[in-house]
Amino acid sequence: MLRMYRKQAGMTQEQLGFEAGVERNYVSMLELGQRQPTVGTLFSLAKALQVRPSILVALLEERLEASSNP
C-alpha cells in the first residue's frame, strides 16, 4: 500500500523518507514487507503522503484478509 501511495504522490523513496523523517532504506524495507512501522512512523508516512493513517491501515487490512481467504 505504501508503494502505491508513494508512486501516486510522484515521490521517490528518498523524498518520502525525508518528508516522513525516516531513512530511504527503511522506506524500501517497509515496501518490501521486511519491516513493520510503529504507529508514530505510520502517522509520519501518512502525513507525508497526504492521506489519513486509517486509510492505509484499512487497505492493508483488506489486502491481508483477501490473501488469507482462498
Side-chain angles (χ1 to χ4, degrees), residues 1-69:
M1 305 314 319
L2 184 61
R3 179 180 290 136
M4 179 186 76
Y5 274 98
R6 176 179 61 78
K7 288 187 178 252
Q8 284 179 356
M11 300 174 84
T12 64
Q13 289 179 343
E14 186 173 7
Q15 289 168 323
L16 177 57
F18 178 77
E19 292 293 324
V22 299
E23 297 291 326
R24 185 216 53 86
N25 63 331
Y26 184 65
V27 173
S28 176
M29 289 187 283
L30 290 172
E31 289 184 354
L32 293 171
Q34 296 174 344
R35 295 283 188 262
Q36 300 297 318
T38 64
V39 172
T41 301
L42 176 66
F43 273 73
S44 296
L45 291 165
K47 183 177 180 181
L49 293 168
Q50 299 181 345
V51 64
R52 291 182 14 207
S54 59
I55 298 294
L56 294 176
V57 172
L59 291 172
L60 179 59
E61 184 179 17
E62 288 175 16
R63 179 175 278 185
L64 290 173
E65 285 177 1
S67 68
S68 66
N69 293 326

